[in-house]
């Protein structure tokens, strides 16, 4: 009977193999990966498009399915949420100072994080513009017009919003140059502007809602991409963009969060996700969403969409975020001194 036993053994082995194949044992399965991108206010549409393309490319490359969840709010508030325990695999915030705060207060990534990706980990730039109602009924042309009596200015709170801090510094830089470097006169100018602000929303998108949907205010100080998106959404017959005589080069940075990625096992895909932003495909999506791409070929394609204008820079004009953040926006800083609600 040895032959019968051998035949029986082979039959059992064949059944085990067949069952293993049917159950997926012994062969690779597609992984189900989830990332959390904690971002600032006006990037919802950008990352919806980026996420869809990246997930498609990653599936084709690895066979794995990836879902990227998004969290949005004022950049400063988002940084504090990560410090307080929000499990971000990556952060894509409004300014480098907010990621530096995550380093300093939570130690979740290294201090040299900006050196890990090109262009100081800023895959695109933007600037600050003025959005007015169609026909510009209040004849707003430049920063000077925003301090005139009777002009209602909409801008978010720089204590919570990264965009608001860029707005503030663009205004301050203009006022400082206008007044020959006299900081007391610059403070008076910016203080006069904030007296014209009826409400401080916590983020840039909230301010857009206040201006465009609630129809409060004569002018919105906004990210260029946010202003362009408002025109796309609400119609060119309702709003128009005014480029001031000088603005600021806004550089929103990105970073993967090392300690969270280590816990989640997402280090490689988090890095790949942010690197995708620098690819031609990623840069194309960036330009389509009204952010200024770094890639010169893509930038040339969209050149008419992004007018050139004189721009201040955070490093040359304000000493970098490590200097500007405490000076202007820290407790007891310039903003706290000049902003007197209800006065």
């Amino acid at each position: 009977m040895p032959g019968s036993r051998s035949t029986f053994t082979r039959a059992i082995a064949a059944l085990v193999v067949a069952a293993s194949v049917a159950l997926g044992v012994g062969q690779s399965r597609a992984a189900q990966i989830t990332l959390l991108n904690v971002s600032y206010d006006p990037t919802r549409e950008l990352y919806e498009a980026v996420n869809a393309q990246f997930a498609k490319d990653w599936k084709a490359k690895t066979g794995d399915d990836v879902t990227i969840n998004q969290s949005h709010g004022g950049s400063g508030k988002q940084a504090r949420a990560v410090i307080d325990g929000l499990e971000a695999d990556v952060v894509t915030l409004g300014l480098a100072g907010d990621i530096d705060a995550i380093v300093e207060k939570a130690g979740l990534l290294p201090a040299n994080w900006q050196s890990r990706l090109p262009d100081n980990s800023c895959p695109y730039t933007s600037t600050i513009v003025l959005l007015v109602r169609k026909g510009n009924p209040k004849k707003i042309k430049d920063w000077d017009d925003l301090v005139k009596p009777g002009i209602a200015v909409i801008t978010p709170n720089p204590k919570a919003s990264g965009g608001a801090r860029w707005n503030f510094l663009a205004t301050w830089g203009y006022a400082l140059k206008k007044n020959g470097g006299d900081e007391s006169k610059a403070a008076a100018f910016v203080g006069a502007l904030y007296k014209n602000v009826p409400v401080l929303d916590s983020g840039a998108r909230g301010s857009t809602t206040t201006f465009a949907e609630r129809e409060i205010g004569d002018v919105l100080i906004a990210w260029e991409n946010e202003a362009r998106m408002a025109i796309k959404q609400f119609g060119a017959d309702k709003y128009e963009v005014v480029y001031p005589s000088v603005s600021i080069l806004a550089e929103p940075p990105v970073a993967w969060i090392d300690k969270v990625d280590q816990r989640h096992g997402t280090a490689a895909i988090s890095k790949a996700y942010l690197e995708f932003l620098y690819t031609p495909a990623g840069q194309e999506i960036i330009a389509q969403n009204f952010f200024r791409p770094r890639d010169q070929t893509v930038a040339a394609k969209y050149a008419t969409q992004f007018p050139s204008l004189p721009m201040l820079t955070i490093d040359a004009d304000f000493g970098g975020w490590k200097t500007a953040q405490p000076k202007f926006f820290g407790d007891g800083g310039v903003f706290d001194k000049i902003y007197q609600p209800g006065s």
Side-chain angles (χ1 to χ4, degrees), residues 42 45 126-127 129-132 205 208 220 222-236 239-243 286-292 302-309:
E45 296 81 7
S126 190
T127 193
V129 301
L130 310 176
L131 186 68
V132 299
R205 183 57 58 89
T208 302
L220 172 70
W223 294 94
E224 179 182 41
N225 63 283
E226 185 75 349
R228 294 288 182 189
M229 192 64 73
I231 291 174
K232 179 180 179 181
Q233 180 178 352
F234 296 103
Y239 304 103
E240 57 189 76
V241 175
V242 172
Y243 283 85
I286 282 166
Q288 289 169 356
N289 283 274
F290 308 110
F291 297 90
R292 297 186 177 219
Y302 290 87
T304 57
Q305 183 172 289
F306 301 114
S308 61
L309 72 161

Side-chain angles (χ1 to χ4, degrees), residues 235-253:
D237 61 329
K238 299 231 176 117
Y239 304 103
E240 57 189 76
V241 175
V242 172
Y243 283 85
S245 61
V246 62
S247 190
I248 192 165
L249 178 67
E251 297 181 288

Side-chain angles (χ1 to χ4, degrees), residues 297-315:
T297 301
V298 177
K301 179 179 175 181
Y302 290 87
T304 57
Q305 183 172 289
F306 301 114
S308 61
L309 72 161
M311 292 190 198
L312 306 165
T313 69
I314 186 65
D315 292 328

Side-chain angles (χ1 to χ4, degrees), residues 181-192:
D182 188 324
E183 290 206 349
S184 63
K185 290 182 179 178
F189 182 94
V190 179

Side-chain angles (χ1 to χ4, degrees), residues 40 58 77 95 98 100 128 158 185-186 193 210 219-220 226 239 262 289 291 293 296 301 328:
Y40 64 109
W58 191 258
K77 286 181 65 178
L95 47 90
D98 286 333
D100 286 336
I128 302 303
K185 290 182 179 178
L193 186 151
T210 294
V219 56
L220 172 70
E226 185 75 349
Y239 304 103
Q262 289 164 13
N289 283 274
F291 297 90
Q296 292 304 303
K301 179 179 175 181
F328 292 101

Side-chain angles (χ1 to χ4, degrees), residues 14-148:
L15 287 171
V16 170
V17 170
S20 297
V21 171
L23 294 171
V25 178
Q27 66 179 15
S28 61
R29 294 182 182 179
Q32 303 287 330
I33 304 165
T34 301
L35 299 180
L36 176 59
N37 175 5
V38 174
S39 195
Y40 64 109
D41 238 0
T43 59
R44 290 167 174 81
E45 296 81 7
L46 169 65
Y47 283 110
E48 284 172 5
V50 165
N51 295 349
Q53 187 61 53
F54 177 78
K56 180 181 177 182
D57 292 352
W58 191 258
K59 176 74 171 178
K61 179 180 178 181
T62 68
D64 294 340
D65 296 305
V66 58
T67 299
I68 301 105
N69 294 323
Q70 300 173 217
S71 171
H72 297 274
S75 186
K77 286 181 65 178
Q78 293 291 80
R80 283 193 293 275
V82 174
I83 292 165
D84 291 341
L86 181 60
E87 293 269 301
D89 296 278
V90 301
V91 291
T92 57
L93 295 178
L95 47 90
D98 286 333
I99 301 182
D100 286 336
I102 297 171
V103 174
E104 293 160 8
K105 296 179 181 179
L108 295 176
L109 69 165
N112 70 340
W113 62 271
Q114 280 197 276
S115 68
R116 302 192 298 186
L117 289 169
D119 299 309
N120 288 323
S121 292
C122 299
Y124 60 84
T125 67
S126 190
T127 193
I128 302 303
V129 301
L130 310 176
L131 186 68
V132 299
R133 304 192 187 281
K134 188 65 177 179
N136 196 1
K138 296 297 179 76
K139 307 302 179 190
I140 293 166
K141 300 288 180 62
D142 208 348
W143 300 109
D144 286 319
D145 297 313
L146 275 56
V147 302
K148 292 178 178 177

